[in-house]
Each structure stands twice: as C-alpha cells, then as structure tokens.
Amino acid sequence: MPSTSSAVSDSSRSVPPCLWRDRDFRRLWVGQTASQLGEHTTLIVLPLFAVLTLNADAGELGVLRAVGQAPLLLLSLFVGAWVDGWRIRTVLVVADAVRTLMLCAAAVAGLLGWLGLPALLLVAFAVGALSVFFDVAYQASLVRLVQRDQLVRGNSALEGSRSAAQIGGPALGGALVSLLSAPIAAASSAVFFALSFLSVRRIRRTESLPERSERHPRVWRRIHEGLRFVVSDTSLRTVCLASAAFQFSFAAMMTVYLLFLPRELHLSGTTVGLALAAVGPGALLGSLLAARLPRRFGYGAVLVSAAALGDGVFVCVPALHGSSAVTVSVLLAINFVFGAGGQLVNVTVMAVRQAVTPDGMQGRAAATITFVGMGMAPLGSLLGGLLAMEWGLRTSLLVTAAGMMLSPAVMTLSPLARLGRGLPER
C-alpha cells in the first residue's frame, strides 16, 4: 500500500461514503473483521476450556491468560520496528496463515486427546504472538489507504468490525466449548483466520518501500526512535500511561471475572459467552458515536467521560448473586455499557495517535503504545489469579474493577482532556 497521496483514489477523496468504493479498503475491512472474530472466539475458547473441562484453578487460569498476553510485552516494540520496513499486506497474510495452521494443529491434538494445559499454553502464546503482528500492521495500514480527514471514519469502520467480532466471538466460543468440544471450537477460530487470509491477500495496491539502506537500520535504533517519539509527544505519552493503568487493572479483573461468572454466579459456558458478547453491540454503538461525538463535544471530553462510564460500570458486578434472569440482564447491560464506552475511547485515541504521527513512524508508535499499555496485561492476569486465591472472588473483583478507574483519572489530569473539536496537528 503506498503513501496517502498515491493510495487514495479520486472517488475516496470526496465524501466519507466513498471509502467503501475503494476495493482495497473493503478487503482490509473484511479481513480485519474475520481476523478479529477468530481472535475473540479464541480468547473465550481457551480460558473456558481450561476452567470448565480441565478444572483449572485461579492460578492456572492466570498463567494461561498471562502466557497468551506475554507477546504484547515481549514482541510489540520489535514488531513495530519491523512493520515500518515491511509490506503491510505480507505481514497480515502471514499472520493469518500461521494462526490458521496453529489452531488446526490444536484441533487435531484435541481430537487425539493431547490438548491439555501445556498444549493450551503453547497455542495461547503462538496465537498471541501472531495477533501482535496482525494488530500492529493493520493499525499502520489505514493511514496508507485514507486521507487525514477520513481517519476517524476509517477507524470507526474498522472498529465497528471489531464490534461485530465481539458480538459473535464470545457467544460462539462459549457455545462451542459447552455444547461440542474444544477441538471444534479451535477449528472454528481457524476458519475465521483463513477467511481473513483470503480477503487480505486480494489487496492489489502496490506498496512503495524505502530504499534498502533506509529499510534496514539496526532494529534497536528503530525501537529507540519510536520510544523517543512517543515519550516526547504529550498526547501519546498520556495515552501510554492511561493504557497501562487500564490494561493492568482490566487483565486482573477479567481473570477474576471469568471465574466469578461460572463459579460464584453458577452460569453455564453458553450464558457466560452470551454475557460477554453484549460488549459487541455496545462497541458497535460506540464506534458509530465515535464518528460524531468528538467533533461535537470535543475529543478530550469524549475520552474522559467515555472512559469513566465504561470502566466504572464494572464496580456493580460484585453486588450480583445467583443465576436469575435479573442477574443475567444486569450483566448484559454492564457489558453493553463497557463496550460502548471502551469503543469510544479506542476509536478516538487511535485517531489522535494517527493524526500526530508521521506515516513512517506509524508502526513504531502503535507498537510502543501497545508495549507500554498491553504489555502490562500479563502482570495484571497473574495478579488477578493471586488475588482470587488469597481474597476470594467477590472481594478481588471489586478491587480490580475499582482499579480500572485509574485510566480516566490519568486522562483527566492531562492535556489530553482539554483537546477540542479538531484533531491535534503533527
């Protein structure tokens, strides 16, 4: 995919709906949708299989989630440095292909009776590593397809597809683990990655790469450039800190949450999947609102209020008891609000990041923020498991949910909260 000046067709330069006339943008959107659906299915399949089939305890579940998230900490900076010098299409296609093969191998291992906790750890790490490559690459790809004034709408479309994945992925994963088997659940995720592979490989736009001397500076130098750029920019530095606070607390909370729902509230795997799937419709609403609200109320106001509402709603979960229809309905509402608020934050933050970052730095900026933010997730998952063993599920859930409010607090105290109705300049 070439630079913006050569990448965007005349038809896609006019009005926002013309984004959909660009075949390559549609192929990226379809591929990203399928990939995210596979990823969200896998994220619920592996923990539920461990809890419901292998009877994993809180510590083992924390380790499983930490292993799956470890590539965010170990690989993000390197991936960002590499992606800026590679063809984006190649990165996306290879990540999809290898994830398909890994999950097919897991399905075969499961059918042969070999899919125990060690195999789940291996699969979780491999899928997590390849997801880092895919996610960093697709975030860097959008600026090569659309113009600056279409970034919010382009991100809204891509994040909307992620919302669709959040609707279908958890429900499908929970139902397959409960009703069929872990191998079939793993195979279903492989199908989605295969569909993404077929769509992304049809992108025809030729990418212009830098000269060899520019493509291959030392990787540590490229990483240092990305880190220095993010640290020197006030908006990106705040995004890093807020993301780190959120991801650490959210990972800890989710480890406890995935135990709390089946063991404290006695919900089935299918019901757990449906409750988690409510994040999807909320995120879909959030992605639609993200195309309008920042320009009306200001980017800073939307960021702080959406983060406070979306994160704070989980404090209500520890008050729930039993598996009645009222309990399930409240869970659906909580996850819906969390999805809407979280998606508003995601789309708005991504637009701000892309607006202040030069094209040649997009991959490294995305990877640096992923490293600082998502890199805290493995530590949070381990902490969640430890707290659940020491303090019990209900108390641990309240503490970790309250910790999620650190993220909007960081944004409130920063210049990011004072952003107006226009995107900041580079």
Side-chain angles (χ1 to χ4, degrees):
M1 285 171 273
S3 62
T4 304
S5 60
S6 60
V8 184
S9 64
D10 291 338
S11 64
S12 64
R13 294 173 187 268
S14 53
V15 294
C18 291
L19 277 174
W20 298 103
R21 298 180 189 173
D22 189 318
R23 292 182 179 179
D24 285 336
F25 178 79
R26 292 202 306 268
R27 288 163 181 161
L28 174 66
W29 180 83
V30 170
Q32 189 249 10
T33 302
S35 178
Q36 291 293 323
L37 187 55
E39 186 173 334
H40 283 283
T41 301
T42 304
L43 287 176
I44 195 64
V45 164
L46 301 185
L48 281 182
F49 178 75
V51 171
L52 300 176
T53 305
L54 300 181
N55 295 316
D57 60 27
E60 290 170 333
L61 182 61
V63 170
L64 175 64
R65 284 176 47 78
V67 167
Q69 296 159 342
L72 295 166
L73 181 62
L74 300 176
L75 300 178
S76 294
L77 292 178
F78 295 98
V79 172
W82 292 327
V83 162
D84 281 334
W86 289 352
R87 289 182 172 84
I88 298 295
R89 175 181 173 275
T90 301
V91 177
L92 299 176
V93 166
V94 171
D96 280 331
V98 180
R99 282 186 294 186
T100 300
L101 294 175
M102 283 297 304
L103 287 169
C104 285
V108 172
L111 291 173
L112 295 175
W114 298 341
L115 196 61
L117 187 59
L120 281 178
L121 293 173
L122 176 62
V123 172
F125 183 85
V127 172
L130 294 162
S131 294
V132 171
F133 278 89
F134 188 96
D135 291 345
V136 170
Y138 102 76
Q139 290 182 52
S141 68
L142 187 62
V143 295
R144 305 185 189 185
L145 286 174
V146 304
Q147 287 186 309
R148 175 187 171 86
D149 59 359
Q150 293 176 316
L151 283 176
V152 172
R153 291 182 174 88
N155 280 312
S156 181
L158 291 176
E159 291 299 308
S161 72
R162 190 158 70 95
S163 305
Q166 289 173 323
I167 295 171
L172 178 62
L176 289 175
V177 170
S178 294
L179 302 178
L180 299 175
S181 67
I184 294 178
S188 71
S189 299
V191 170
F192 294 122
F193 291 130
L195 289 175
S196 178
F197 168 83
L198 293 173
S199 179
V200 173
R201 71 187 297 268
R202 295 180 62 219
I203 294 177
R204 297 296 179 224
R205 193 157 290 153
T206 303
E207 296 183 48
S208 56
L209 295 178
E211 297 295 328
R212 177 171 294 273
S213 59
E214 298 177 5
R215 284 173 57 193
H216 298 284
R218 291 180 179 178
V219 66
W220 287 110
R221 176 184 169 189
R222 297 178 64 81
I223 290 173
H224 180 261
E225 289 172 350
L227 286 168
R228 184 175 57 186
F229 175 77
V230 171
V231 170
S232 66
D233 186 275
T234 303
S235 296
L236 297 183
R237 188 168 63 246
T238 301
V239 168
C240 278
L241 294 175
S243 178
F246 170 78
Q247 294 298 342
F248 179 80
S249 300
F250 179 68
M253 189 277 299
M254 277 301 296
T255 299
V256 183
Y257 191 55
L258 288 172
L259 290 164
F260 182 81
L261 296 183
R263 293 184 178 174
E264 196 74 23
L265 300 184
H266 308 292
L267 300 180
S268 67
T270 301
T271 306
V272 171
L274 290 174
L276 295 175
V279 172
L284 181 59
L285 174 63
S287 66
L288 295 175
L289 294 176
R292 303 170 183 267
L293 294 186
R295 292 183 180 275
R296 182 173 181 180
F297 299 105
Y299 284 84
V302 169
L303 275 174
V304 173
S305 58
L309 179 62
D311 296 349
V313 73
F314 267 110
V315 177
C316 302
V317 176
L320 298 176
H321 292 80
S323 58
S324 66
V326 174
T327 296
V328 175
S329 298
V330 173
L331 281 173
L332 291 171
I334 288 172
N335 282 284
F336 180 87
V337 173
F338 171 72
Q343 197 72 328
L344 263 172
V345 173
N346 289 341
V347 175
T348 307
V349 163
M350 194 175 295
V352 171
R353 175 183 64 75
Q354 291 171 339
V356 302
T357 305
D359 291 352
M361 192 69 70
Q362 289 288 340
R364 280 169 285 176
T368 299
I369 293 172
T370 297
F371 171 77
V372 176
M374 296 295 292
M376 297 298 294
L379 303 178
S381 293
L382 291 174
L383 177 64
L386 292 174
L387 290 179
M389 289 190 295
E390 295 296 326
W391 293 357
L393 295 178
R394 200 173 295 274
T395 301
S396 300
L397 187 59
L398 178 61
V399 171
T400 54
M404 292 169 62
M405 294 302 293
L406 288 172
S407 178
V410 168
M411 288 190 285
T412 300
L413 298 174
S414 76
L416 201 63
R418 297 190 290 274
L419 288 177
R421 298 178 182 179
L423 286 169
E425 297 293 334
R426 290 179 183 172

